[in-house]
Amino acid sequence: MKKNIPMFLAGLFCGAALFGGSVAYAAGILATPTTDLDQRITLDGQEIELIGYVINGNNYFQLRDLGDQLGFGVSWDNDTRTVVITTEPTGQTENPANVATTADPYHAAAATGSRYQPKVGDQILCDDGSTYTITDVSRWDKNMFQDGPLPELPTATCDWSLMPQVELPAPEIRRYSSAGQDYLFARNIYESRRMLYTLFNAIGDNPETWKDGKPVLHPSENAKVKISLTIPTEITPQTFWPWRSSEITNLFNSCPPGTYYMEAWDVYKNGVFQRTEYNIMHRI
């Protein structure tokens, strides 16, 4: 039997919090990994190790990790954009075309919005059904003038729960051939979250959009700022790399009200990682 589950950030975590409470489905909520040794978990009397994620004070676990421990399968159906749960472990079920399993590290990470760090030999399932092999990641963390690894995601400097609730985009892998070169564009959901949280804090730091501990609304009671983590094809965004938070904060502070479209993509050429591109567009 199969069950389809919509792709939301919190929806891929176990729905039962250890300490009670309800599941939060709003995107933009920060999930902080924890390996607290005081949190013991047993399965049929045997202690097991699971990485928990703290969301609003409650602990959640990734659905795939639970499947590995409990013996059910979790995979990604690229055609229908769904997570597929089966009553057998993923490794024991037939893997239909265009389904990424734990052998595809990109989809495993992107399904929860967590960070994917490519490694030589990784094979990524593309949206066209082909498989792209990564051969060189020497430029990772060295994106043109970037001296080292990026810091952790921004933390809240204001109440993010009052911000526009934004749905994280689905994993997406685009493969192109041009002038004999083999290109891959992988949507980077983790870095999309970096852009989103940076914008959240910029909203909270600007008196035109934040006052008395809450967002400033138009006289019509409509929000002054709207956000989308996908960019319509008819829009030509501004593109920059490596990561610079000032590219977002300066654009926002120049004209705060409006709609902000943002995306982040990892770019590969002939299997070689090139850079992570950040794209943003503002419309009043």
Side-chain angles (χ1 to χ4, degrees):
M1 180 178 66
K2 295 184 178 181
K3 298 179 182 179
N4 293 333
I5 299 180
M7 292 296 299
F8 296 105
L9 173 61
L12 293 183
F13 292 90
C14 175
L18 289 181
F19 306 108
S22 59
V23 179
Y25 285 91
I29 294 177
L30 181 62
T32 305
T34 177
T35 55
D36 189 350
L37 295 179
D38 293 329
Q39 174 186 285
R40 297 178 62 249
I41 304 170
T42 62
L43 176 62
D44 295 331
Q46 299 296 318
E47 188 167 340
I48 61 174
E49 293 185 2
L50 282 176
I51 296 177
Y53 294 83
V54 178
I55 303 176
N56 291 337
N58 293 328
N59 287 348
Y60 298 82
F61 300 94
Q62 292 190 43
L63 186 59
R64 189 184 299 277
D65 291 345
L66 290 175
D68 290 343
Q69 294 289 342
L70 298 176
F72 61 82
V74 180
S75 59
W76 168 250
D77 189 329
N78 195 62
D79 287 340
T80 60
R81 296 294 191 185
T82 57
V83 169
V84 178
I85 299 178
T86 58
T87 54
E88 296 179 348
T90 302
Q92 297 179 12
T93 58
E94 182 180 354
N95 187 23
N98 294 341
V99 174
T101 66
T102 53
D104 183 340
Y106 166 80
H107 285 91
T112 59
S114 57
R115 175 179 280 170
Y116 163 60
Q117 180 168 336
K119 296 179 174 60
V120 173
D122 281 358
Q123 294 187 326
I124 310 302
L125 182 66
C126 304
D127 289 0
D128 62 6
S130 64
T131 299
Y132 193 93
T133 301
I134 298 175
T135 60
D136 187 336
V137 293
S138 59
R139 296 184 184 179
W140 185 259
D141 288 334
K142 298 177 182 178
N143 281 277
M144 192 181 295
F145 308 119
Q146 181 175 313
D147 295 329
L150 289 172
E152 296 299 318
L153 293 177
T155 57
T157 59
C158 56
D159 190 348
W160 286 357
S161 68
L162 301 179
M163 295 296 181
Q165 296 306 297
V166 185
E167 182 179 340
L168 290 176
E172 187 173 358
I173 299 288
R174 302 176 182 176
R175 188 174 190 174
Y176 301 98
S177 293
S178 177
Q181 308 300 314
D182 189 8
Y183 292 93
L184 187 80
F185 288 77
R187 185 185 292 277
N188 192 322
I189 300 176
Y190 185 85
E191 289 304 304
S192 295
R193 291 172 59 199
R194 186 184 303 278
M195 300 180 78
L196 176 65
Y197 300 160
T198 300
L199 184 56
F200 277 173
N201 285 341
I203 293 173
D205 290 340
N206 193 302
E208 188 174 345
T209 53
W210 191 269
K211 186 177 180 180
D212 298 328
K214 60 183 179 181
V216 177
L217 303 178
H218 286 297
S220 63
E221 298 298 316
N222 291 324
K224 282 193 171 184
V225 180
K226 297 180 180 179
I227 305 171
S228 174
L229 294 182
T230 57
I231 301 177
T233 56
E234 68 272 13
I235 293 180
T236 302
Q238 303 175 40
T239 301
F240 67 91
W241 70 84
W243 167 254
R244 298 185 297 276
S245 60
S246 59
E247 295 288 339
I248 292 178
T249 56
N250 290 346
L251 175 63
F252 177 79
N253 290 327
S254 67
C255 187
T259 301
Y260 290 82
Y261 302 91
M262 301 185 296
E263 291 181 343
W265 294 85
D266 291 336
V267 182
Y268 300 82
K269 176 182 176 182
N270 298 329
V272 179
F273 175 81
Q274 303 292 308
R275 60 189 177 273
T276 298
E277 291 185 353
Y278 300 88
N279 300 273
I280 185 169
M281 179 63 187
H282 172 234
R283 280 185 170 178
I284 300 176

